[in-house]
Amino acid sequence: MHASTLTPPAPLTTPGPLLPRLYTFRRCPYAMRARMALLHAGRAFEAVEVSLRDKPASLLALSPKSTVPVLQLPEGSVIEESWDIMGWALAAPDPQGWWARAQSPANLDLLNRNDGAFKHHLDRWKYPQRYVSETLTPDAHRDRALDVLLRPLEARLHSAPCLGGATPCATDLAIMPFVRQFASVEAGWFATLDLPSVRAWLNGWLVSPLFVACMYKLPTEGAIRFPPL
């Protein structure tokens, strides 16, 4: 699910599908970032909606970790991490610089904060029943999530509308689904926070054609060609 250093996918001994095949889950923020990158790059692909309680045998055969997203390429190779899928989609060619601008030290720092400490605290705030041995309260995790990502993000977005500057980059796509998840836990409380730039940025993405297309609801069985943007 999480970000990693982009590495070439390992070849398999059997050919893959005719189109790149993405194993995905509609509400998973890691899968959202992968779908948005593929859509923005204009990469034709088919998708399989994965039931997290009944994962398909084809996914388990491709990826021992069996967490979404996983992308199988037509020649048979497999990309198992969301940031690597984004890199495959966006890096070459990259005429608008979406991938290149995401490689700045500031943007890589935000990505690492998001996929590391922020996700850690977000999970323990949103799903406290899963972490009964935690010593911190859910609200303490909430406050640490604010400090580790959302306040630095507010400072960045105060000076520019996007993490790519005047226009978005891959970091915007990578982080937005997690901020969306955080905002939805207690929407009324989130609306009172002194994060006007973050809210404007998030709300803009939520109504964007790219995000709306990304959230197309797939059937529960089979691989289908994902609707283009």
Side-chain angles (χ1 to χ4, degrees), residues 6-193:
L6 183 63
T7 55
L12 297 183
T13 57
T14 56
L18 295 178
L19 287 174
R21 178 175 294 170
L22 182 71
Y23 290 86
T24 184
F25 177 60
R26 186 172 182 265
R27 297 195 306 273
C28 171
Y30 296 101
M32 288 179 197
R33 63 163 56 155
R35 296 195 305 268
M36 284 194 290
L38 291 163
L39 287 166
H40 173 73
R43 302 274 192 179
F45 68 101
E46 61 183 26
V48 177
E49 180 74 5
V50 172
S51 168
L52 301 184
R53 295 180 179 179
D54 186 20
K55 296 174 182 177
S58 55
L59 171 61
L60 299 175
L62 290 174
S63 173
K65 71 183 185 67
S66 70
T67 56
V68 295
V70 169
L71 184 69
Q72 184 184 17
L73 301 179
E75 76 274 14
S77 57
V78 175
I79 308 177
E80 296 186 276
E81 301 293 348
S82 59
W83 185 245
D84 295 350
I85 294 171
M86 294 182 73
W88 178 84
L90 296 168
D94 186 21
Q96 298 174 328
W98 277 56
W99 185 250
R101 284 179 284 118
Q103 309 312 307
S104 72
N107 279 336
L108 290 174
D109 176 64
L110 281 177
L111 178 73
N112 288 331
R113 286 170 176 263
N114 180 82
D115 287 16
F118 180 74
K119 183 65 165 60
H120 172 90
H121 294 303
L122 170 58
D123 285 349
R124 285 154 181 79
W125 178 42
K126 184 174 183 180
Y127 307 110
Q129 69 279 8
R130 299 180 184 176
Y131 302 97
V132 294
S133 62
E134 278 292 317
T135 56
L136 292 178
T137 66
D139 284 355
H141 282 293
R142 176 199 68 188
D143 293 344
R144 293 194 180 190
L146 278 170
D147 289 338
V148 77
L149 179 71
L150 293 179
R151 291 195 172 101
L153 186 60
E154 175 69 21
R156 281 286 305 278
L157 294 172
H158 181 71
S159 58
C162 304
L163 298 176
T167 56
C169 70
T171 314
D172 293 271
L173 301 186
I175 290 177
M176 184 277 291
F178 296 87
V179 178
R180 170 186 178 268
Q181 191 176 66
F182 183 93
S184 69
V185 178
E186 290 184 12
W189 170 81
F190 184 79
T192 69
L193 297 176

